[in-house]
Amino acid sequence: MKNFFSNLRGDIFGGLTAGIVALPLALAFGVSSGMGPSAGLYGAIFISFFAALFGGTNTQISGPTAPMTAVSMVVVTSILAFNDGDFEKALPAILMVFLMAGLVQIGLGLVGIGKYIRYIPYPVVSGFMTAIGIIILVTQILPLVGYYPKEDMALVDQYRPMAQESILRKILKEESRESMLVLEDFQGTIDRSEEVSEENILKEAKALAGKDTSGVMGAINMLPRALQHINWLELALAFGTIVIIYGFKKITTSLPSALVALLVVSGVAYGLGLDYRPIEQIPGGFPIIHFDMFTQFRLDSITPYVFTAFTLALLGAIDSLLTSVVADNMTKTQHRPNRELIGQGIGNSIAAFFGGLPGAGATIRTVVNINAGGKTKLSGMVAGVLLLTVLLALGPVASKIPAAVLAGILVTVGIGVIDYKGLKAIPFLPRDTKIGPFKVSSEVIIMLVVMVLSTVWNLVYAVGVGLVLASLMFMKKMGDLTAERSDVKTLEQEKGWTDEAAFPESLKRKVFIKHLKGPLFFGFTSEFQQLAKQIPRSASTVIIRMDRMQYLDQSGLYTLEDVLIDLKNSGIEVLFVGLLEQPRYMMERVRLIPSLISENRIFIDFQACTAYLKSNSDQTVDVSKEN
């Protein structure tokens, strides 16, 4: 507790500054997710406070971030479509997915996964981050020009026939579930379909229009129509916001430019009485707990999103731990990764109970906190308390903010999220993979695949594809490298290792040697089999040097077993030299030692092996002659 208040003044100032920076971003991310500005604010409040309290990075400021918001957008859109576009009906399932993501994060921390997050390949992260930037930019085009498809009645009217068909299909599905749909009472179904109100049809048509115009492809398809319905006032407000954000940074960085832009543009729009579109109403008072997550729980509504929840948790973990590394570099401290995951999971879980957007450690806010004097967990908690105070005291005022202002803020966020460093490196990365007649960089392929799939298909699946592709390419590289460095020759043909220089000339023609330089794993098994086949069956002895083979997996183990059996059947004696601990353990588990290789055929070094061959040279020659 003493350390908790050891930097009281600095932590309060750092937390207040970080909270001010977080305010406009929280509102903007809430709007972008489809859950409204209040969800972004609730998420920032609870994640900031509880992730700081229970986390493992003293100076970390957490809250909704661009990557987490982009994945949340997918969850919200999908579950809304499943629930006829009714947000109140879909909210329990949405929050349940967010809660699951938080619980998964806690689980990852408890089992110690935190230290392994750093092994996520950079090309996957780079492609994903660039895709996030593109998604934010493209999906903000429509609100940027003041076009909202659900309010375009000419467009909505085009969906009325599909809306009627959709409603009828739902009636049939509902009656089928209730065992009411029988031939004798089919007239009842007809009567119910005829009683559907015009209001319900309109609501369904708007939901269908919203679904078809959401996401990157929806925004692109709607672009020609949006350009015909530009709201010049909304466009001017958004453009003014962007100009102030970038322009104010050149004047001073002591104040967050996004907050300055929000206050200035909102103040001008409200003060002049302009007819602008405000953001959704932010409820006053303390946020309520959504117990309907459990009272209205339906397994079938969230089962398709279990993998999404896991991806959301993993993404939040990566986002947070990368920020933790930045904080460590600035403060010369060492974060506790597993503790940080537990803290983030608790923060996200509590935020879900209150209807908040999930989040992670935010790099910019953390840097601002450190530069302003924050050094302990108290700074993150202060940031959360500040945002709660804003909610309680200024909720109605914040509801007057123009929606175009938040669209402008999100455009600058999208531009900032793109990984320019990774993009600039594309021409300079080594071309190590051959596709047809062309040689390309495997890392560029991974990055572009993740970026394109994330943008036009599905963020969650794109990350999975990227990880699988990166793993396969890594295994291919390792296999090629091991094959390139491993060979099989007679000692007469090869300039051996240093300790092989004194090998007797009389034995060099009869003894073959195989150097294994690298892991014998599933990516190298086929090459190992091919190398083994190069050994002529006239050989009397094969020495397998394992001094530099640190790892043997199950695939490599059984491949080695097959090769040993083949050599034994050919009457060739096999000797092991320098067998390391992990490969020996694997061989002993399946009784490869001593069934195929006895202990007296395993030597600690090459000198011991040479001494054995010298003492058994006559026997070795006899074996050679017999075969």
Side-chain angles (χ1 to χ4, degrees):
M1 186 62 70
K2 182 179 179 181
N3 292 334
F4 198 77
F5 295 104
S6 61
N7 185 49
L8 186 61
R9 182 177 179 181
D11 288 334
I12 291 176
F13 189 67
L16 291 175
T17 307
I20 290 171
V21 173
L23 177 60
L25 296 175
L27 296 172
F29 287 140
V31 171
S32 177
S33 70
M35 294 183 66
S38 57
L41 194 53
Y42 296 161
I45 291 169
F46 294 107
I47 299 171
S48 179
F49 187 91
F50 289 103
L53 178 61
F54 295 106
T57 311
N58 289 341
T59 54
Q60 182 114 289
I61 303 294
S62 303
T65 62
M68 295 293 278
T69 301
V71 178
S72 300
M73 191 191 311
V74 174
V75 176
V76 173
T77 302
S78 302
I79 297 180
L80 268 177
F82 185 78
N83 288 274
D84 313 328
D86 188 331
F87 183 75
E88 292 302 321
K89 185 179 177 183
L91 186 59
I94 293 171
L95 297 181
M96 180 59 75
V97 174
F98 293 165
L99 175 61
M100 288 167 54
L103 295 177
V104 169
Q105 282 186 321
I106 295 173
L108 293 176
L110 290 175
V111 300
I113 298 296
K115 59 185 178 182
Y116 298 108
I117 297 295
R118 64 181 182 271
Y119 295 116
I120 301 294
Y122 177 78
V124 175
V125 176
S126 175
F128 182 80
M129 295 303 294
T130 299
I132 294 297
I134 294 172
I135 290 170
I136 291 175
L137 288 172
V138 174
T139 54
Q140 291 308 304
I141 292 176
L142 302 187
L144 200 71
V145 300
Y147 178 74
Y148 296 87
K150 291 183 179 182
E151 298 176 6
D152 183 353
M153 295 312 299
L155 175 68
V156 172
D157 286 341
Q158 297 176 17
Y159 285 88
R160 284 180 177 272
M162 288 178 278
Q164 292 173 321
E165 179 183 342
S166 176
I167 291 172
L168 178 58
R169 190 181 299 113
K170 289 169 185 174
I171 291 174
L172 293 172
K173 185 177 180 180
E174 182 181 338
E175 294 193 348
S176 175
R177 189 185 302 121
E178 297 172 357
S179 302
M180 292 172 58
L181 187 60
V182 293
L183 292 176
E184 293 81 357
D185 194 34
F186 198 71
Q187 184 61 43
T189 303
I190 297 174
D191 293 340
R192 284 188 64 187
S193 65
E194 291 176 348
E195 291 173 1
V196 175
S197 67
E198 188 65 24
E199 182 181 352
N200 288 337
I201 294 175
L202 179 61
K203 182 179 178 181
E204 182 69 16
K206 285 185 176 182
L208 292 173
K211 179 183 177 182
D212 282 357
T213 57
S214 64
V216 171
M217 298 310 297
I220 292 174
N221 291 334
M222 282 293 104
L223 185 56
R225 190 176 185 90
L227 294 177
Q228 295 173 5
H229 297 79
I230 296 178
N231 185 317
W232 294 104
L233 173 60
E234 299 288 320
L235 181 59
L237 293 175
F239 183 73
T241 302
I242 296 170
V243 170
I244 292 175
I245 288 175
Y246 287 120
F248 194 79
K249 287 180 180 179
K250 296 183 178 180
I251 299 173
T252 178
T253 56
S254 59
L255 289 175
S257 59
L259 181 65
V260 173
L262 183 146
L263 293 175
V264 170
V265 178
S266 300
V268 170
Y270 184 77
L272 296 179
L274 301 179
D275 185 22
Y276 63 86
R277 176 193 178 94
I279 63 175
E280 296 176 24
Q281 186 72 26
I282 299 177
F286 198 86
I288 61 171
I289 298 178
H290 288 263
F291 289 112
D292 51 358
M293 276 195 298
F294 304 101
T295 58
Q296 299 181 26
F297 176 77
R298 284 174 53 195
L299 185 61
D300 62 332
S301 65
I302 65 166
T303 301
Y305 306 103
V306 171
F307 180 66
T308 304
F310 183 82
T311 304
L312 196 60
L314 191 60
L315 175 61
I318 296 169
D319 209 359
S320 299
L321 295 182
L322 287 176
T323 302
S324 296
V325 172
V326 173
D328 286 348
N329 292 334
M330 293 183 67
T331 59
K332 307 305 178 186
T333 57
Q334 182 67 46
H335 73 281
R336 290 172 290 174
N338 294 318
R339 178 71 178 270
E340 183 61 33
L341 290 189
I342 293 172
Q344 292 292 332
I346 291 173
N348 279 315
S349 299
I350 294 175
F353 276 105
F354 288 95
L357 199 63
T363 304
I364 298 299
R365 281 160 266 179
T366 300
V367 170
V368 166
N369 175 45
I370 294 171
N371 289 337
K375 291 183 179 179
T376 75
K377 295 172 177 289
L378 184 62
S379 57
M381 298 168 67
V382 168
V385 171
L386 171 68
L387 293 172
L388 178 61
T389 304
V390 170
L391 171 68
L392 297 177
L394 301 175
V397 176
S399 299
K400 303 295 183 182
I401 296 173
V405 171
L406 297 188
I409 292 174
L410 284 170
V411 167
T412 63
V413 170
I415 293 172
V417 166
I418 293 174
D419 182 27
Y420 299 102
K421 181 180 179 181
L423 293 175
K424 288 178 182 177
I426 288 178
F428 307 104
L429 292 173
R431 301 182 180 185
D432 53 1
T433 301
K434 193 171 183 179
I435 299 181
F438 305 103
K439 290 199 73 175
V440 296
S441 168
S442 59
E443 296 194 346
V444 172
I445 292 175
I446 295 167
M447 184 177 70
L448 293 179
V449 166
V450 173
M451 183 180 72
V452 173
L453 292 183
S454 296
T455 304
V456 302
W457 182 39
N458 186 293
L459 279 164
V460 177
Y461 297 153
V463 172
V465 170
L467 289 174
V468 171
L469 189 60
S471 300
L472 291 175
M473 287 192 170
F474 172 75
M475 297 306 169
K476 176 68 165 58
K477 282 183 185 177
M478 291 297 295
D480 291 345
L481 182 62
T482 305
E484 183 180 306
R485 297 172 59 189
S486 299
D487 44 23
V488 53
K489 298 177 182 178
T490 63
L491 285 175
E492 186 180 58
Q493 296 171 319
E494 179 188 297
K495 182 181 178 181
W497 291 356
T498 304
D499 58 355
E500 297 166 3
F503 193 77
E505 290 291 333
S506 60
L507 296 177
K508 284 187 176 181
R509 291 180 178 274
K510 308 164 191 174
V511 177
F512 277 70
I513 187 166
K514 177 166 181 55
H515 296 118
L516 288 178
K517 308 172 188 176
L520 181 53
F521 70 115
F522 66 87
F524 175 56
T525 52
S526 60
E527 287 84 356
F528 179 75
Q529 289 173 326
Q530 292 301 317
L531 288 171
K533 289 178 181 178
Q534 297 173 15
I535 300 172
R537 292 308 179 254
S538 60
S540 62
T541 304
V542 171
I543 301 172
I544 301 180
R545 297 293 304 266
M546 296 184 169
D547 315 55
R548 303 179 190 178
M549 189 190 81
Q550 305 90 345
Y551 179 75
L552 176 69
D553 73 355
Q554 192 172 15
S555 300
L557 176 66
Y558 292 136
T559 301
L560 177 62
E561 182 181 32
D562 291 341
V563 169
L564 292 176
I565 291 173
D566 183 47
L567 293 175
K568 183 176 181 180
N569 290 338
S570 299
I572 298 175
E573 183 181 31
V574 179
L575 308 177
F576 283 177
V577 174
L579 181 60
L580 301 178
E581 183 180 355
Q582 191 274 344
R584 172 184 279 273
Y585 175 82
M586 291 290 288
M587 294 179 197
E588 289 174 346
R589 292 306 93 189
V590 298
R591 305 293 295 171
L592 190 151
I593 298 175
S595 298
L596 292 177
I597 298 291
S598 59
E599 287 288 350
N600 64 349
R601 298 295 188 273
I602 302 174
F603 304 95
I604 191 170
D605 55 34
F606 194 72
Q607 285 75 17
C609 180
T610 302
Y612 167 81
L613 287 170
K614 286 180 179 179
S615 64
N616 293 275
S617 59
D618 294 337
Q619 182 180 346
T620 303
V621 172
D622 290 341
V623 171
S624 174
K625 289 177 180 178
E626 289 175 5
N627 293 279

